[in-house]
Amino acid sequence: MSPSRTHASRRPAVGARPPHAVQVLGGGPAADGPHAPSARTAAHARALARGLTARGVRVTVCTRHDAALRHSFTGTGAEFTALPGRTEADAVARLRAVCAEADLVHAHGLRAGLLAALALGGRRGPVPLVVTWYALPRAGPGHASRADAAHDLVTRLLLRRVARAATVVLGTTTKLVDAARRSGARDARLAPAPVPLTGAGPSPGREDAAAEEALRSTVRAGVGAADRPLLVAVGRLDGRRGHDTALTASRAWRGLSPAPLLAVAGEGPGRGPLQRRIDEEKLPVRLLGRRDDALRLLAEADIALQPTRCRGPSLVAQEALRAGVPLVAAAGGGVPELVGTAAVLVPCGDADSLASAVLGLLADPARRAALGAAGRAQARTWPGEDDTAALVLGVYDEVTRAAADR
C-alpha cells in the first residue's frame, strides 16, 4: 500500500509565488451535524497540511465546523477560514470567494466535494478540483420502503455529482477508486491515507520491562481481566458496529474456565439493548462506555475484534496490527486491503465464524504470536505522512500544469 516516492520534497523556486491549495472539510450545516468530518478525515487533512506547507505550498483550510477543529490545525502552517453555517448558499458563496485566489481546491470527503463543486460552478476549470474519498455513504436497508429507495437514489446522485465534478478523485482504498470510476470519474487513483502514530501501544524495545508489565497488568485488572484472556472491541454502540454479532459469538466461550472477557469500549444509543442481552444471557462481556484510553486497552488485549465491515480503513485494525495484537475482523470495506494476511478475516455478521476464529486463536498461542509478528510487519508497509504528502503534491503539480496549458 505504500505509494512510491516519485516526487521528492521540494520548495518553489526563489522569487516564485507559492502555489495556493484550498482544503475543504465537511459539508454539514452545523458543527455537530452528521456530516462533520470524521476524526480520520481531519487527521489526514492535518497531516497533509503539515507536509504541503513544509514543501512550500500555501494551504488554506475551509470548514463549517467548530473551534476545536480549527485549533487542531495549529502548528501545521495552514491558514484557516470558517465558512458560514446559516445556509448552504452562504457557505458556497464564501468558499467561492476563497477559491478565487486558489491554484487548486482539494475537498476531503463526499460532502466537502459537493460543497467545493458548487463553489466552483461544477466546471473542470479553470481551478482544478481534487477530491479524496474516505468511505462511501451507507446504503439503505435493501429498499424496504420508499424512504430507503429515496435515500439510495440521493446517495447515487451525490456520488455521481462529485465524481464527475472532480479533476481527480483520490480513493483511500481500491474499492473506493472502483466506485469513483463507476460513478463517472474520468481520473480516479489510489492514494492511501497516512496511518497516524498514536503512541497508545506498548513499547516492545523499552528498557524497563518490569514497569511495562506492571502497567499492562494494571490496565487489564482495571477492566476485570487480570487472570483471564482479554478480547477488546472498540466502536460506537449504534447498531452498526457488529456488537450484536460479537455478543452472540461470546456464547461459545462463556463455558471456558476462565471465561475470556470481551471488553467493548464505546458509547451510544444501543447500550441499553446490549446490556440487557448481556444480563439475560449471562454473557462474558463488559460494556466500558467511552474510554480515553481505548487504544491503550486495545494494545493490551490477547485478541482484538472488528466484528463488522468498515466503510474505510479501520482505526481498530490499524492499532491492533501496529501493537502486535492478533486481530479477528469482518472481511469487508477497507480492512482486507489494510491487513493483508496479517489477520483472521471472517464473513460479516457471521457469529459462528467469529466464535470459531476466536476459539482457535485462544487455543493456539503460537499462532497468536505469529499473527502479532505479521501484524507489526504489515504495519511497517503502510504509508506515512511524508509518503502521502509527496504523492498528493505530485497530483497537484500535474493538475495545475494541465490547467495552465488549457
Side-chain angles (χ1 to χ4, degrees):
M1 289 178 59
S2 182
S4 61
R5 299 173 182 254
T6 56
H7 297 278
S9 175
R10 58 165 180 72
R11 290 182 176 274
V14 175
R17 181 181 69 85
H20 182 197
V22 172
Q23 309 263 336
V24 186
L25 276 75
D32 57 352
H35 305 308
S38 68
R40 182 176 70 245
T41 301
H44 183 200
R46 283 195 299 273
L48 204 52
R50 280 192 296 268
L52 292 172
T53 55
R55 289 165 166 80
V57 178
R58 177 189 168 197
V59 176
T60 299
V61 177
C62 294
T63 182
R64 297 170 70 178
H65 297 285
D66 59 18
L69 180 60
R70 177 172 189 160
H71 179 72
S72 72
F73 278 84
T74 301
T76 63
E79 304 167 25
F80 198 98
T81 296
L83 302 178
R86 293 181 298 276
T87 67
E88 196 80 7
D90 290 336
V92 168
R94 176 59 182 146
L95 183 58
R96 181 177 292 124
V98 176
C99 293
E101 301 178 355
D103 294 297
L104 64 94
V105 178
H106 187 166
H108 295 270
L110 289 169
R111 292 283 174 172
L114 178 61
L115 192 67
L118 292 171
L120 295 175
R123 300 186 300 273
R124 294 184 176 273
V127 180
L129 173 60
V130 177
V131 183
T132 294
W133 287 19
Y134 297 89
L136 296 176
R138 295 185 185 278
H143 293 180
S145 68
R146 289 184 179 179
D148 296 330
H151 176 276
D152 286 355
L153 176 61
V154 170
T155 295
R156 290 194 299 272
L157 291 175
L158 172 62
L159 293 171
R160 186 180 305 169
R161 178 74 170 82
V162 175
R164 294 184 176 183
T167 309
V168 176
V169 173
L170 301 178
T172 57
T173 68
T174 55
K175 287 188 176 181
L176 290 170
V177 173
D178 292 341
R181 289 171 178 160
R182 289 195 302 271
S183 298
R186 296 186 184 180
D187 189 342
R189 313 178 191 183
L190 179 64
V195 179
L197 292 170
T198 64
S203 305
R206 189 169 173 169
E207 293 180 3
D208 194 352
E212 181 66 40
E213 183 58 32
L215 177 59
R216 182 173 190 270
S217 298
T218 299
V219 171
R220 292 171 65 98
V223 298
D227 300 311
R228 60 197 294 196
L230 175 62
L231 284 62
V232 173
V234 181
R236 179 173 166 78
L237 310 182
D238 60 4
R240 297 175 174 176
R241 311 294 174 172
H243 297 313
D244 266 319
T245 300
L247 262 59
T248 300
S250 74
R251 297 171 181 169
W253 62 77
R254 63 183 168 183
L256 298 180
S257 182
L261 174 68
L262 171 57
V264 181
E267 193 54 87
R271 182 184 183 97
L274 291 174
Q275 189 62 59
R276 284 193 290 274
R277 276 199 65 190
I278 294 168
D279 295 339
E280 292 170 1
E281 301 176 36
K282 295 181 172 54
L283 301 176
V285 180
R286 183 176 176 188
L287 304 181
L288 304 179
R290 194 183 309 278
R291 297 278 298 230
D292 292 336
D293 64 344
L295 296 182
R296 174 74 213 194
L297 177 63
L298 182 72
E300 304 302 351
D302 295 293
I303 299 173
L305 299 186
Q306 174 70 63
T308 192
R309 66 172 58 91
C310 288
R311 293 180 295 157
S314 163
L315 181 60
V316 171
Q318 292 172 0
E319 292 302 323
L321 267 62
R322 179 175 281 144
V325 176
L327 172 69
V328 178
V335 171
E337 187 172 348
L338 179 75
V339 303
T341 59
V344 179
L345 300 179
V346 298
C348 185
D350 188 335
D352 289 339
S353 294
L354 182 64
S356 177
V358 168
L359 289 171
L361 288 177
L362 288 173
D364 193 343
R367 189 177 179 213
R368 293 203 306 272
L371 276 176
R376 287 196 175 101
Q378 177 73 4
R380 288 193 290 271
T381 71
W382 294 335
E385 292 185 5
D386 192 65
D387 300 299
T388 303
L391 184 150
V392 170
L393 183 58
V395 173
Y396 286 5
D397 285 344
E398 180 182 333
V399 297
T400 54
R401 288 173 182 170
D405 290 341
R406 284 201 294 266

